[in-house]
Amino acid sequence: MKKKILIQLFLFSLFVFLSIFSYNKYFKQESQNVIEVKQDTDLKKKNNKTNLITNLKYFSIDKRGNKYEITSEYGEMDTNNPDVIMMENVKAIIKIYNSDPIIITSNFAKYNVKNYDTNFKENILVKHVDNKLNGENLDLSFQNNLMSMYNNIIYQNPDTKLLADKLEIDLITKDSKIFMNNKENKIKIISKN
């Protein structure tokens, strides 16, 4: 039973990361980029921030029809690095042609507009069909071809629940590692049936 659960988790992880790899390969080179920005002057006055952006939306589409969209309720440009946007109440959608969308939500994200690297944090939820992955941190590094999710990882599908500390996936080789920070602890697999 544990082997079946691990295979299901691996296949789900593989699909997510194949989608991300495809995005990196095709969107990064052939994409049209659109950034929509609306400035809320009342909110700016309330928070006393001069570079606060509301309703931020980044959208990319390639020639094959694959789409990537990341939106946030609020965003603030990093004063030390104008390529970095600190986002709040974030939602990212990856739509691969002829596939169900992958949806990522989180409380916060640090997004690099040049290389698409994104660091999601707090209350992360990754959804694909009937699969859900929760955690506190998720780093997508397209430069290093690596996705890393860590801190309180919970994977769920209709049949299984899995608890771990860290998940790493190499976006090129598709190799994935699931492990606990303390080697004395074991990954917990709970069958829902």
Side-chain angles (χ1 to χ4, degrees):
M1 185 66 176
K2 288 183 183 181
K3 186 176 180 179
K4 179 182 173 184
I5 293 168
L6 288 174
I7 290 171
Q8 287 176 341
L9 179 59
F10 174 155
L11 290 174
F12 172 72
S13 300
L14 180 63
F15 176 79
V16 169
F17 298 105
L18 283 174
S19 299
I20 292 170
F21 177 76
S22 297
Y23 162 76
N24 187 38
K25 184 173 181 178
Y26 298 111
F27 282 102
K28 194 170 182 179
Q29 297 172 355
E30 308 172 356
S31 64
Q32 297 174 336
N33 300 324
V34 176
I35 297 176
E36 294 179 9
V37 177
K38 295 180 184 175
Q39 188 70 34
D40 184 340
T41 54
D42 292 333
L43 184 64
K44 184 172 83 172
K45 289 176 187 173
K46 288 179 190 171
N47 290 320
N48 210 15
K49 295 180 180 180
T50 58
N51 57 355
L52 185 66
I53 304 165
T54 59
N55 302 320
L56 180 63
K57 179 179 181 180
Y58 169 83
F59 179 78
S60 177
I61 187 168
D62 70 7
K63 293 178 183 177
R64 294 186 175 111
N66 298 313
K67 299 173 185 175
Y68 175 72
E69 180 179 307
I70 186 166
T71 60
S72 70
E73 191 174 329
Y74 305 105
E76 183 177 358
M77 291 188 168
D78 187 329
T79 55
N80 297 323
N81 185 351
D83 295 331
V84 173
I85 299 173
M86 307 305 285
M87 300 177 155
E88 289 184 40
N89 300 329
V90 183
K91 182 176 183 179
I93 302 172
I94 302 168
K95 294 180 183 176
I96 304 298
Y97 182 74
N98 282 336
S99 179
D100 292 315
I102 298 167
I103 301 168
I104 304 170
T105 59
S106 70
N107 290 355
F108 302 100
K110 180 178 165 183
Y111 177 70
N112 187 310
V113 296
K114 277 197 171 179
N115 62 20
Y116 311 118
D117 285 358
T118 309
N119 307 101
F120 297 92
K121 71 178 189 177
E122 287 189 23
N123 296 319
I124 297 163
L125 174 61
V126 179
K127 289 198 260 183
H128 179 259
V129 190
D130 290 336
N131 299 294
K132 293 181 184 178
L133 191 59
N134 296 85
E136 291 301 314
N137 300 88
L138 185 141
D139 298 337
L140 291 176
S141 175
F142 295 106
Q143 290 181 347
N144 298 321
N145 298 305
L146 182 68
M147 185 195 109
S148 180
M149 189 169 194
Y150 49 98
N151 294 330
N152 302 319
I153 295 174
I154 302 171
Y155 165 78
Q156 297 181 74
N157 67 24
D159 301 321
T160 308
K161 182 175 183 179
L162 183 137
L163 306 164
D165 288 335
K166 192 165 186 177
L167 167 69
E168 289 182 351
I169 298 176
D170 184 310
L171 299 176
I172 293 175
T173 65
K174 311 301 182 279
D175 292 336
S176 62
K177 298 176 190 175
I178 303 168
F179 53 92
M180 302 298 284
N181 293 330
N182 182 345
K183 294 185 182 199
E184 300 292 318
N185 296 335
K186 299 203 185 273
I187 296 169
K188 294 177 183 150
I189 301 171
I190 303 164
S191 177
K192 294 182 181 179
N193 294 330

